[in-house]
Amino acid sequence: MSLTKFGTQVREYRHTLNMTLTTMASGLSTSSSFLSSMETGRTKIPMEWVEKIASFFNEKGLKVSKEILKALACEDNESVCLEGLPPHQKMLVAGFANSDFNHEQLMRLGKLLADIHGENAKNGSDEH
Amino acid sequence: MAATNTEPDFDYRMRGQRVHPLAAEDINFVSQRVKKILQLTKRGFSVKNAERTVASFELYGIYIDVVDDRQWFDATRATVDPASGMIYMPQKLYDQLCRGKAEAIRIFLHEVGHIVLGHRPLLHFANAEKNPTHIEDSEWQADTFADALLDLLKLPKEDAQLELRF
């Protein structure tokens, strides 16, 4: 077992803040073993904890995207929670999960979505 | 008692897995390199700094997974997966390590030894007919590494037994 993608990111944030696992655990009123189990993939990562952790880092002055952390955690958990999503999003997620898109098609779709919603989207739309 | 490196110790009883032989001087050399590269100091393992020092090993791919004491069923005090660089230890031991306790530091460095000495079980031996010697014992090698590094750092190998002094 190695670090999960979520764990790698969280440990990087801690290093940036020069914060120890114990300090983070006590700041979140939990144990270092609980945090460690999420970071190493011994347990599934509960989504409410992803939110708590993202808020914790933001409170410490580090700009952390809740969405990115959640996406990493979902990938590690190998499951996506559909709870609370509007019906069309649920359909989209389920559709993608069961699609037979090949790697190349998914890459192209991913790039298209990134172009549409990415940081440079505004600049791009101004060009034409 | 351990035999010298040149003489076969026929009665040696392996404590760990049989690995490539490494003499004490080779292991001492590795411990010097680890101290230098990771910039380890005695102060780094003080109560104030120990946890940060331990976390700095992550920059070199050596991680600790802290396991809830109630979930720790292993008979050993800590264990390691050298292939992934992951050291597993119960919460209790991790807390002692963070408080700079000598025995916890020694156990941590012992597990680090398994990783930096590249321990992988040897399943096929060219000299399988010969008895293994202590220099082929992964446990002896990791102990030797930990003690060599503790000596270099001038750190104690055991916690002071304060109650015996009074």
Side-chain angles (χ1 to χ4, degrees), chain B residues 52-119:
Chain B
R52 277 200 180 83
T53 300
V54 165
S56 72
F57 280 70
E58 290 179 1
L59 303 173
Y60 300 89
I62 297 173
Y63 308 95
I64 294 183
D65 187 2
V66 188
V67 181
D68 191 306
D69 291 329
R70 288 163 298 182
Q71 291 173 348
W72 186 262
F73 298 119
D74 205 299
T76 57
R77 294 191 66 188
T79 181
V80 65
D81 174 13
S84 64
M86 191 66 80
I87 296 168
Y88 301 91
M89 63 173 71
Q91 177 88 56
K92 199 177 159 192
L93 182 64
Y94 183 72
D95 291 342
Q96 288 170 351
L97 179 60
C98 295
R99 288 200 297 272
K101 292 281 177 193
E103 282 165 33
I105 294 170
R106 187 168 184 260
I107 294 169
F108 169 67
L109 294 179
H110 171 103
E111 304 304 340
V112 170
H114 284 302
I115 298 170
V116 297
L117 297 173
H119 285 166

Side-chain angles (χ1 to χ4, degrees), chain A residues 3-48:
Chain A
L3 281 188
T4 59
K5 288 183 178 179
F6 171 79
T8 305
Q9 188 63 69
V10 167
R11 287 192 186 210
E12 227 176 275
Y13 291 148
R14 267 208 305 274
H15 280 299
T16 308
L17 289 169
N18 195 22
M19 179 184 283
T20 64
L21 178 66
T22 305
T23 311
M24 182 176 166
S26 76
L28 286 162
S29 306
T30 187
S31 63
S32 29
S33 54
F34 177 68
L35 291 183
S36 192
S37 71
M38 288 193 286
E39 293 173 11
T40 58
R42 264 189 299 111
T43 55
K44 295 264 182 202
I45 308 157
M47 283 305 126
E48 65 265 30

